[in-house]
Amino acid sequence: MSRKPWDLAFIAEPEEVAALRRIMRIHLGLWGLHDVIDGAQLCVSELVSNVITHVGHGTPATLAVSMSGTRLRIEVHDPDTRALPTLMDATSDSESGRGMALVDAIADRWGVQLLADRKMTWCELPTTLTSPNGHHAGPHLTRAEEVLDLYGGARQHVGVESSRLSAATAEEAAIAVIADLLHWLQAHGHDAEDALDRAQMHFESEVRVAGNSA
């Protein structure tokens, strides 16, 4: 899945926060990153609120979202290079200073970068992706990748490239694994077509369950 970086200009006003949260939810849903939606929305709220509070209402700003390896990276750009976010040891009763503490608790890491004409406050959230453009880690994918790695290594001696299989090579290897398993079932007196149908039913059922829980 391709997860292309995107950015959105906005005016730092309280009513914009809810709109940016909705946009974040939509984009992360399209990216299949349902597990980080809540955390990402909270980080967006705090980063934007920080601009409103410490830079000023009506400040032109930009939200930028991208992948940094397997982490989700959120950036908020604003034109004030003087008002720098700080991590405060705020108590639960404090009226201010809690925003970056929340970001610090949710994100793997965060920071502030000063540029020529603006500053960028960023944070990165961990995901369960196996690669930036890949899918979520899970028992099914883990087992499949282990089988493909082993299968690629076994076939390397007959001229099939292995190391880390390319997408096209991995697809061919997966098809070959399925075909070989069907041969194995048939050789041991099992109905290969029935097994394939049952496997398809299992796959479709698990996909539906995953979609409903997302």
Side-chain angles (χ1 to χ4, degrees):
M1 175 185 291
S2 177
R3 299 180 175 91
K4 296 181 180 180
W6 59 272
D7 59 71
L8 178 67
F10 66 93
I11 300 299
E13 296 288 357
E15 56 268 24
E16 287 293 298
V17 175
L20 292 171
R21 287 172 60 92
R22 287 194 298 271
I23 292 169
M24 177 64 76
R25 174 175 289 276
I26 292 170
H27 275 274
L28 295 186
L30 293 173
W31 280 3
L33 300 181
H34 302 281
D35 58 316
V36 295
I37 287 178
D38 290 343
Q41 286 184 310
L42 181 54
C43 287
V44 167
S45 295
E46 297 304 334
L47 294 179
V48 173
S49 295
N50 197 70
V51 175
I52 297 171
T53 302
H54 298 290
V55 182
H57 289 254
T59 299
T62 300
L63 170 68
V65 181
S66 61
M67 296 302 300
S68 175
T70 58
R71 293 184 178 90
L72 175 70
R73 183 178 176 90
I74 301 171
E75 302 172 359
V76 171
H77 300 244
D78 72 72
D80 193 335
T81 59
R82 297 167 301 171
L84 302 181
T86 57
L87 181 62
M88 298 177 62
D89 184 17
T91 67
S92 59
D93 296 327
S94 299
E95 293 297 326
S96 62
R98 297 170 56 193
M100 297 314 298
L102 289 173
V103 172
D104 184 67
I106 295 169
D108 257 4
R109 52 192 182 186
W110 67 274
V112 182
Q113 183 177 356
L114 296 179
L115 304 172
D117 58 346
R118 66 189 187 282
K119 76 169 177 288
M120 174 181 69
T121 308
W122 60 271
C123 64
E124 293 181 358
L125 282 69
T127 72
T128 58
L129 294 178
T130 56
S131 65
N133 294 322
H135 301 281
H136 294 278
H140 301 297
L141 287 179
T142 300
R143 288 196 298 267
E145 288 173 353
E146 289 173 352
V147 169
L148 287 175
D149 283 343
L150 290 172
Y151 201 77
R155 289 169 63 89
Q156 187 175 10
H157 302 294
V158 292
V160 177
E161 76 171 21
S162 184
S163 65
R164 291 304 300 173
L165 301 176
S166 67
T169 305
E171 182 178 0
E172 290 302 317
I175 293 171
V177 169
I178 294 169
D180 285 353
L181 289 174
L182 293 175
H183 282 295
W184 184 91
L185 287 167
Q186 187 176 56
H188 286 77
H190 300 286
D191 187 335
E193 290 188 3
D194 178 63
L196 188 59
D197 289 340
R198 289 161 57 194
Q200 180 70 22
M201 291 173 60
H202 278 295
F203 170 72
E204 292 175 353
S205 175
E206 288 160 356
V207 168
R208 284 196 298 273
V209 171
N212 290 336
S213 62

